[in-house]
Amino acid sequence: MYYALRKGCYIRKIGNFGYIKSSGLFNDLAFDQSGQVFLSALSRTPKSLEKLSEEIAAAFIDIKSGDIIGDVKEFFDNLADDGYVVCGATYRETNDNNMGFDYSEVKQINLEEDYTPKNFRSANDTQEVLDKYFRANPYLSNFQIELTSKCNERCIHCYIPHEYKNTDISADLYYGVLEQLQQMGTLGVTLSGGEPMAHPQFKEFLLAAKEKDFYVHVLTNLTLLDDDIVRIMKRGNACGVQTSLYSMIAEHHDAITTVKGSFEKTKAAILRLIGNNIPVQINCPVMKANRDDVADVIKWGHEHKIRVNVDYSIMAEYDHRTDNLANRLSPEECRSVIKSIIENDETYRVDISGLDSVAVSNYDYDPNEPFCGVAVNTACMVANGNVYPCPGWQSYVCGNLYEKSLSEIWLESNEMKKLRALKRGDMKKYSSCKNKAFCSPCPGRFANESPTGNPMEVAEHFCAVAEVNRQTVLEYLKKVKQ
């Protein structure tokens, strides 16, 4: 029997952990030190069971390959069952089986069963294991690179002020950053903008990131997608794409992007990616212009086996202006959107199924937890070389890559250290709030909305939305349990 890492899957060593991720099924697994040794023997080139057993046995003291061949087979058979590994009776058969992500293998989403595989092999939740490790050992797992701040759309809710959309990243800076990320063992690289495809060297940049075996993700409006880009995306490990679709009504979508015809281009491009087996996700930011259109976007996504992420609380511009918030839903307007999500998104219904009024009242959290992954396992950069915590929080500059290496900024900058020192327990209002089970306090959102840029100054809008969310969810759960 032969085994090989499946196209679209990636392996990294994180401390003593072995980590494997599938870009198509959006699954991942973490293994202990022994599991890490097993994973390290796997490659994209098929290896026989005997060869794998020999390499793994060599990493242990007084262990012969014959002693562990059964364990090795079970380990890789399980990974094959979960979609991370391909196998075959011969080298050629294994190569022929390695077709990568295929939408035909994804189960249709319906109101009864979510398409996300639920057969996990790890004893503990992968994210919990890694989050605990990252708290004490910051590891830059994912890095977002803004290729250009220029954009061919002018979305009415955008948190990037339009007058700042005028810079392309230099080729030297881009390739230098890729080299540094490879040296740091980073897994994921996200190419963003502005509109990343508007950069004149986008195709070369995309190919370079893929050839370094990063899990490459592209944040794009897809209106500039062409045949060459599709071919590059499919080459080797197909990369993932995330795009925004605001409505299934063209006029509503185009009113948000302020570009006529953008809906038809984005929709057609999504279908084109699906037809080429390129994993794609949809974001649906909801505002006054599309508040009644959420259900149709979710349904359309589900019909095409695509995840739809809904955000009904858009954030202020990063220079602390709040003009774009004129488009934001009021807390009460969020109620109908939340109801629509509950009714149409099976994944969300599964998430809330175990809740009731008692569970909500007793909800607790670790006060020493960070708010999110910024400065713990993720960071971003803009085209001028500035490094910052997350896409929306560009006013908080942690360093510039023309002046310092990424490793120096990540490990040594005072700004990163301050972010790592922020804990959920520091936000007293959150810790005593009855709605905390329905709130994910975000220092970046708070900083943008604060006139002084204070990340701990709670924006009351989000508190009010959490209250509406709690009421709506509990009303739904009470109704279904009657």
Side-chain angles (χ1 to χ4, degrees):
M1 185 65 72
Y2 286 76
Y3 298 88
L5 183 64
R6 184 173 181 172
K7 290 181 179 178
C9 294
Y10 303 82
I11 292 172
R12 292 292 188 273
K13 180 181 179 182
I14 303 174
N16 290 327
F17 289 106
Y19 180 71
I20 189 167
K21 182 179 180 70
S22 166
S23 61
L25 297 176
F26 309 105
N27 272 357
D28 61 356
L29 291 173
F31 294 89
D32 61 13
Q33 193 167 6
S34 294
Q36 188 275 320
V37 173
F38 278 52
L39 277 182
S40 66
L42 194 63
S43 73
R44 300 199 182 280
T45 302
K47 294 182 181 179
S48 68
L49 175 61
E50 290 74 20
K51 177 65 173 175
L52 287 166
S53 300
E54 288 175 6
E55 291 183 11
I56 293 168
F60 296 96
I61 299 174
D62 296 331
I63 295 292
K64 296 179 180 179
S65 60
D67 298 333
I68 61 170
I69 193 168
D71 293 332
V72 173
K73 185 177 189 305
E74 181 181 7
F75 182 85
F76 289 118
D77 282 346
N78 283 340
L79 288 181
D81 288 343
D82 290 343
Y84 299 102
V85 167
V86 291
C87 55
T90 65
Y91 182 102
R92 181 172 181 178
E93 181 184 339
T94 306
N95 257 345
D96 291 344
N97 289 340
N98 201 353
M99 304 302 292
F101 176 75
D102 191 329
Y103 269 100
S104 67
E105 297 179 5
V106 180
K107 295 172 66 176
Q108 184 73 44
I109 301 173
N110 55 54
L111 296 181
E112 301 300 324
E113 188 170 12
D114 181 20
Y115 69 97
T116 307
K118 296 180 175 62
N119 187 19
F120 298 105
R121 300 295 180 184
S122 56
N124 298 299
D125 179 80
T126 301
Q127 203 56 53
E128 289 181 7
V129 171
L130 292 179
D131 285 350
K132 184 177 180 179
Y133 175 80
F134 291 151
R135 286 188 221 172
N137 307 276
Y139 165 73
L140 188 56
S141 175
N142 294 281
F143 190 67
Q144 182 168 314
I145 304 174
E146 180 193 78
L147 300 185
T148 177
S149 57
K150 298 173 183 176
C151 189
N152 61 335
E153 294 183 340
R154 286 291 182 265
C155 296
I156 59 177
H157 63 293
C158 187
Y159 52 73
I160 303 175
H162 296 319
E163 61 266 32
Y164 299 154
K165 299 178 180 181
N166 53 19
T167 305
D168 290 336
I169 196 171
S170 71
D172 286 345
L173 177 58
Y174 176 74
Y175 292 124
V177 169
L178 288 189
E179 289 291 338
Q180 293 180 63
L181 291 169
Q182 191 172 48
Q183 293 170 10
M184 295 172 71
T186 298
L187 169 66
V189 170
T190 298
L191 305 181
S192 71
E195 170 46 53
M197 294 183 189
H199 194 290
Q201 294 176 273
F202 172 75
K203 295 170 186 178
E204 297 95 318
F205 287 172
L206 174 61
L207 184 58
K210 286 170 60 62
E211 288 181 340
K212 286 189 177 295
D213 203 35
F214 292 115
Y215 167 31
V216 182
H217 206 67
V218 183
L219 303 184
T220 168
N221 59 43
L222 285 175
T223 59
L224 302 178
L225 186 74
D226 61 24
D227 291 342
D228 287 340
I229 295 174
V230 172
R231 279 194 289 270
I232 294 170
M233 285 183 170
K234 290 181 67 176
R235 183 171 170 175
N237 289 301
C239 59
V241 175
Q242 188 169 304
T243 193
S244 292
L245 192 66
Y246 302 102
S247 173
M248 300 313 299
I249 301 171
E251 293 80 7
H252 291 188
H253 178 98
D254 293 355
I256 292 173
T257 65
T258 68
V259 176
K260 189 173 182 180
S262 59
F263 168 77
E264 294 298 342
K265 288 182 179 180
T266 296
K267 178 185 173 185
I270 292 172
L271 294 174
R272 190 175 182 184
L273 293 176
I274 294 172
N276 283 276
N277 288 318
I278 297 171
V280 59
Q281 293 185 74
I282 289 174
N283 278 346
C284 184
V286 186
M287 58 208 86
K288 294 182 185 296
N290 66 333
R291 66 182 183 184
D292 298 323
D293 303 343
V294 179
D296 288 338
V297 175
I298 294 174
K299 289 175 182 177
W300 189 83
H302 285 188
E303 288 169 4
H304 293 87
K305 304 176 181 179
I306 300 173
R307 292 187 175 199
V308 178
N309 302 311
V310 178
D311 181 3
Y312 42 81
S313 289
I314 62 176
M315 67 191 305
E317 294 170 273
Y318 72 72
D319 62 356
H320 313 300
R321 285 183 293 179
T322 56
D323 297 352
N324 66 326
L325 298 186
N327 302 290
R328 186 163 71 182
L329 297 179
S330 69
E332 192 54 39
E333 287 173 325
C334 290
R335 191 181 300 274
S336 62
V337 176
I338 296 169
K339 287 181 178 179
S340 187
I341 295 171
I342 294 173
E343 292 169 0
N344 295 284
D345 192 334
E346 170 67 9
T347 303
Y348 186 68
R349 290 215 302 273
V350 170
D351 288 343
I352 64 174
S353 61
L355 294 176
D356 56 29
S357 58
V358 175
V360 170
S361 298
N362 294 334
Y363 175 80
D364 206 356
Y365 65 98
D366 182 351
N368 292 314
E369 281 185 0
F371 288 96
C372 59
V374 298
V376 177
N377 67 329
T378 65
C380 307
M381 67 169 288
V382 285
N384 66 9
N386 282 343
V387 175
Y388 56 100
C390 65
W393 197 1
Q394 295 185 21
S395 62
Y396 191 90
V397 179
C398 300
N400 187 280
L401 289 165
Y402 283 110
E403 301 169 359
K404 294 183 178 180
S405 71
L406 182 56
S407 179
E408 286 179 291
I409 294 171
W410 175 251
L411 295 174
E412 300 174 12
S413 75
N414 290 329
E415 289 77 15
M416 286 289 183
K417 291 177 180 179
K418 288 177 183 177
L419 289 174
R420 290 177 191 132
L422 291 179
K423 307 299 181 185
R424 285 179 179 257
D426 297 333
M427 193 168 285
K428 303 305 180 185
K429 184 169 184 177
Y430 172 72
S431 62
S432 60
C433 181
K434 65 180 180 181
N435 299 316
K436 59 179 177 287
F438 297 90
C439 178
S440 297
C442 174
R445 288 178 183 260
F446 295 163
N448 281 12
E449 216 153 317
S450 166
T452 61
N454 182 358
M456 303 299 280
E457 183 179 329
V458 177
E460 295 299 328
H461 169 84
F462 298 101
C463 297
V465 170
E467 169 70 18
V468 169
N469 196 358
R470 181 183 65 84
Q471 293 173 359
T472 308
V473 168
L474 290 182
E475 287 170 3
Y476 163 77
L477 293 173
K478 182 178 180 180
K479 181 179 178 180
V480 297
K481 291 177 181 180
Q482 285 179 342

